[in-house]
Amino acid sequence: MAEAQNIPVGSTTAGQIAVAAESTVATRMSAPASFDVADFPVPHGREEEWRFTPLDRLRGLHDGTAVATGDGVKVDIDAPEGVVVETVGRDDARIGRAGTPVDRVAAQAYSAFEKAGVITVPKETVLTEPIRIVVHGEGGTAYAHQVVELGAFAEAVVVIDHSGDAVLAANVDYVLGDGAKLTVVSVQDWDDKAVHVGQHNALVGRDATFKSFVVTFGGDLVRLHPRVAYAGPGGEAELFGLYFTDAGQHQEHRLLVDHNVPHCKSNVVYKGALQGDDAHAVWIGDVLIEAAAEGTDTYEMNRNLVLTDGARVDSVPNLEIETGEIVGAGHASATGRFDDEQLFYLMARGIPEIDARRLVVRGFFAELVQQIGVADIEERLLAKIEEELEASVA
Amino acid sequence: MATLEIRDLHVTVEADNATKEILKGVDLTVKQGETHAIMGPNGSGKSTLAYSLAGHPKYTITGGSVTLDGEDVLEMSVDERARAGLFLAMQYPVEVPGVSVSNFLRTSATAVRGEAPKLRTWVKEVKEAMERLNMDPAFAERNVNEGFSGGEKKRHEILQLELLKPKVAILDETDSGLDVDALRVVSEGVNRVRETGEVGTLLITHYTRILRYIKPDHVHVFANGRIAESGGPELADKLEAEGYEAYTKGGASE
């Protein structure tokens, strides 16, 4: 069952476990998944999948008025030896295999990109250094598509680093061959005005392991759909997320784990801290266990820490089970406040205010940060958290 | 010798859109090595005194002075007061999710002592202090006060008292909600700190029960926002026998 505690005024923490004949996860979307933007009506904001998102801040990504400027983002890829990095046309067969766009902006991105990036780690290639994709916003508007494909038993870490200012709609496909291991760290460290919307699809092969860290700090509006499905039994997916939502920012993470084959595992842990007026974080965690997916083991959790008044969290876990023959399924969502009484307690033990906040926020994020395993990224995240806190106290 | 001097302290609180005066001129001097029991009925302002001394933002000081060794306590922020040597063991310690007890204790000790304690001696120091309070070592890895029982919370407060070694310790109803065994363990902890002779103790309580374990040098009856009567330990015996009625008659005790 969902648990909820100390929910700030104006927030929702709802949860449900449905044992349903037909999928509500699928049917509550206003249109079926499609690669064609024309299949999606322009959202008006009351649709289930858009109701938390301020459409007027999407800068036209949702209604066809956002035109690519040609210099929207600069992409640099640094890949270790053995990795194949290509730029391909729209007709390349490797594009779009991991998943289909589920909303209008994802379909817009798919319909509008001109060239796609394809990164291939050949089978049985085990990388010791990360592949780094640096996406720097140059102030324009861009549509993009990136494919990361691991052959059977390949192992890789991919860091996608977003910074600068841009209006970007971009989808990413991760295709994992049998027994492959992929860790992805996607960092959204945008400037204050950036808008970033995208769908990240992972197709996890037989006995493959997919681990994802989605780390969102910046931007005016960030809305991401991390999604996982399995291509064969024995797959494992761990989806971790961290966000630090500041005054005026909208950061939305909408996850789906589709247990469509038997004997796969998934574990979802997203944690967010919020501070400042009109900081708004949205977390939607959908887990679907299809009738065929016997032996599924899944858990999802969202935790939010509200540091100041004026912030809002919407946290909605949904677990939908179509078979009872599973190992385990659970979810939890809780939103807590760092309030004046906690601050008083820590300060009454001699701890200065900034250190008290640091202690609480670091403690809150530590277990996730430590699991990233990429030292420079871990350090940067901790430094970023410090920076955000310093700014809030100053 | 450290001395806490409270002179004519007046404190108000905002409640229901009205300003209410809770403390109406408190005078008290607590010296290092002394133990003062402050006893009084509910609503007399005992806890307000405790939280005002610690600097809780809910309370507004409208008059009087508080000094610790001549330094103006009322000018200090909450953390500065703690670093100056004031300690408040709270009646309702606050849960701090995500912060482990061990991390909290070390951060606190670092702040109060002015430098990080050496890791090896620190681990030993905490371990021994916890053993004396019959606390399970696993306790250190739990989050501060999260899911603690009433007795665990109070032990945790006294653990901090032992580790932080304040000049003046204010114990706000530390006895409330404790069974006899827990009360004894907690009282022994307080007594260990008192026996060093280096702490002045302000023991705030509603009941005389804890005074069987912690012997005060001075007993003050608190009523209607000020000290109504002061005496030696024998005053506690009188209260035990007669209750607070003599002090609350005609007084506005909330």
Side-chain angles (χ1 to χ4, degrees):
Chain A
M1 290 297 290
E3 49 170 304
Q5 36 182 286
N6 303 326
I7 302 161
V9 174
S11 297
T12 62
T13 300
Q16 60 179 27
I17 297 179
V19 179
E22 58 184 308
S23 166
T24 56
V25 169
T27 56
R28 64 200 171 80
M29 302 298 284
S30 53
S34 168
F35 289 105
D36 187 356
V37 65
D39 290 340
F40 293 89
V42 172
H44 47 69
R46 288 184 301 278
E47 300 85 352
E48 177 59 32
E49 73 268 32
W50 288 109
R51 67 188 178 101
F52 295 117
T53 313
L55 298 179
D56 56 342
R57 285 159 60 188
L58 281 170
R59 310 271 286 274
L61 288 174
H62 66 300
D63 61 10
T65 61
V67 177
T69 53
D71 55 354
V73 296
K74 189 156 77 66
V75 180
D76 286 309
I77 299 177
D78 180 12
E81 208 173 327
V83 177
V84 182
V85 179
E86 299 166 80
T87 302
V88 302
R90 294 184 53 84
D91 56 351
D92 193 285
R94 291 169 292 182
I95 299 171
R97 280 170 52 210
T100 308
V102 295
D103 69 15
R104 185 173 161 106
V105 177
Q108 178 71 66
Y110 195 87
S111 301
F113 74 83
E114 290 180 358
K115 297 276 181 189
V118 176
I119 293 175
T120 309
V121 183
K123 67 174 183 178
E124 294 172 22
T125 302
V126 176
L127 302 181
T128 52
E129 287 295 313
I131 299 167
R132 292 177 189 269
I133 305 173
V134 176
V135 180
H136 191 263
E138 305 288 319
T141 298
Y143 297 100
H145 194 97
Q146 177 70 51
V147 176
V148 176
E149 191 160 338
L150 268 66
F153 303 103
E155 295 184 18
V157 174
V158 175
V159 177
I160 308 180
D161 202 337
H162 302 90
S163 62
D165 178 25
V167 175
L168 174 67
N171 300 327
V172 187
D173 290 335
Y174 303 108
V175 180
L176 285 75
D178 292 355
K181 288 191 165 70
L182 173 62
T183 298
V184 174
V185 185
S186 180
V187 181
Q188 289 66 245
D189 190 8
W190 295 107
D191 290 351
D192 289 345
K193 287 184 190 154
V195 173
H196 178 197
V197 183
Q199 184 172 326
H200 297 175
N201 306 299
L203 184 64
V204 180
R206 182 184 181 107
D207 298 324
T209 305
F210 176 66
K211 192 169 174 181
S212 138
F213 292 89
V214 171
V215 180
T216 304
F217 281 105
D220 174 58
L221 186 156
V222 174
R223 177 181 145 117
L224 299 175
H225 278 93
R227 297 167 73 88
V228 171
Y230 299 86
E236 288 190 31
E238 288 187 290
L239 306 182
F240 298 131
L242 288 88
Y243 43 91
F244 200 125
T245 314
D246 279 333
Q249 287 183 317
H250 178 93
Q251 296 175 342
E252 181 165 351
H253 299 90
R254 309 179 67 91
L255 291 89
L256 172 77
V257 180
D258 183 358
H259 280 277
N260 51 334
V261 301
H263 302 292
C264 290
K265 286 186 187 171
S266 63
N267 181 36
V268 177
V269 181
Y270 267 61
K271 288 187 157 192
L274 295 91
Q275 65 182 12
D277 284 346
D278 300 317
H280 188 192
V282 178
W283 183 82
I284 310 293
D286 290 337
V287 173
L288 173 60
I289 304 174
E290 296 189 23
E294 292 181 4
T296 292
D297 190 356
T298 176
Y299 192 77
E300 58 167 348
M301 181 173 91
N302 177 226
R303 290 264 183 277
N304 294 288
L305 178 62
V306 178
L307 296 168
T308 66
D309 288 339
R312 177 188 166 105
V313 177
D314 291 287
S315 175
V316 187
N318 291 297
L319 174 57
E320 194 172 300
I321 306 173
E322 293 171 359
T323 173
E325 301 297 314
I326 58 171
V327 175
H331 67 183
S333 164
T335 296
R337 289 184 69 106
F338 181 61
D339 61 21
D340 292 346
E341 294 302 323
Q342 289 170 339
L343 184 62
F344 174 73
Y345 187 78
L346 295 171
M347 289 178 74
R349 299 302 180 250
I351 303 171
E353 179 172 352
I354 176 69
D355 293 336
R357 288 185 182 275
R358 190 177 286 149
L359 190 66
V360 167
V361 175
R362 275 190 164 229
F364 180 72
F365 282 130
E367 55 157 347
L368 281 183
V369 174
Q370 285 160 8
Q371 290 191 56
I372 293 177
V374 182
D376 65 304
I377 294 288
E378 290 183 7
E379 281 161 26
R380 200 172 116 207
L381 294 188
L382 291 174
K384 194 77 197 170
I385 291 168
E386 299 277 303
E387 202 179 293
E388 301 264 0
L389 289 167
E390 297 277 1
S392 77
V393 172
Chain B
M1 185 188 282
T3 305
L4 179 74
E5 283 201 64
I6 304 166
R7 289 288 165 267
D8 194 28
L9 187 65
H10 289 254
V11 171
T12 62
V13 66
E14 297 296 321
D16 304 326
N17 296 322
T19 302
K20 190 173 176 203
E21 186 170 53
I22 307 282
L23 298 188
K24 302 167 184 174
V26 178
D27 289 290
L28 184 64
T29 301
V30 180
K31 293 189 172 132
Q32 216 164 9
E34 294 178 350
T35 299
H36 294 249
I38 293 197
M39 308 195 59
N42 290 329
S44 59
K46 307 186 299 289
S47 284
T48 298
L49 175 64
Y51 280 84
S52 300
L53 293 175
H56 195 288
K58 183 177 156 190
Y59 302 100
T60 307
I61 312 290
T62 53
S65 67
V66 178
T67 59
L68 181 62
D69 296 340
E71 299 285 326
D72 186 351
V73 170
L74 301 178
E75 281 296 307
M76 299 179 195
S77 62
V78 175
D79 52 317
E80 285 169 345
R81 295 179 197 207
R83 293 197 296 273
L86 270 183
F87 180 87
L88 169 63
M90 299 190 200
Q91 183 179 2
Y92 302 110
V94 182
E95 292 185 5
V96 189
V99 178
S100 69
V101 167
S102 68
N103 190 8
F104 165 65
L105 292 176
R106 191 169 159 80
T107 306
S108 175
T110 301
V112 168
R113 296 177 189 182
E115 59 177 357
K118 293 225 171 18
L119 198 55
R120 193 179 302 164
T121 52
W122 170 250
V123 170
K124 188 161 170 273
E125 188 181 348
V126 173
K127 187 165 164 276
E128 288 173 358
M130 287 177 67
E131 276 169 11
R132 288 194 297 267
L133 288 162
N134 290 351
M135 294 168 81
D136 186 329
F139 204 85
E141 299 317 313
R142 291 169 66 184
N143 288 334
V144 172
N145 293 318
E146 201 176 60
F148 287 17
S149 69
E152 286 172 336
K153 283 183 182 169
K154 297 300 171 68
R155 282 171 208 219
H156 182 226
E157 293 295 287
I158 301 308
L159 175 65
Q160 296 166 52
L161 170 67
E162 290 205 54
L163 294 170
L164 298 180
K165 301 179 175 61
K167 293 176 181 168
V168 174
I170 305 156
L171 310 179
D172 185 23
E173 309 223 7
T174 294
D175 52 333
S176 69
L178 295 184
D179 62 31
V180 172
D181 288 340
L183 180 63
R184 197 181 59 243
V185 169
V186 162
S187 300
E188 285 168 3
V190 174
N191 286 334
R192 278 193 294 276
V193 175
R194 290 168 64 220
E195 279 158 15
T196 63
E198 287 170 7
V199 65
T201 307
L202 198 54
L203 184 67
I204 293 174
T205 180
H206 182 77
Y207 303 104
T208 53
R209 187 177 65 148
I210 194 172
L211 304 185
R212 285 176 221 149
Y213 302 96
I214 303 173
K215 299 287 181 199
D217 306 302
H218 306 274
V219 174
H220 311 276
V221 182
F222 213 77
N224 196 22
R226 57 169 70 91
I227 289 172
E229 188 177 352
S230 295
E234 73 288 347
L235 184 52
D237 299 331
K238 183 182 155 207
L239 290 170
E240 173 80 27
E242 298 172 14
Y244 295 117
E245 243 174 63
Y247 303 98
T248 55
K249 265 188 305 196
S253 73
E254 189 115 357

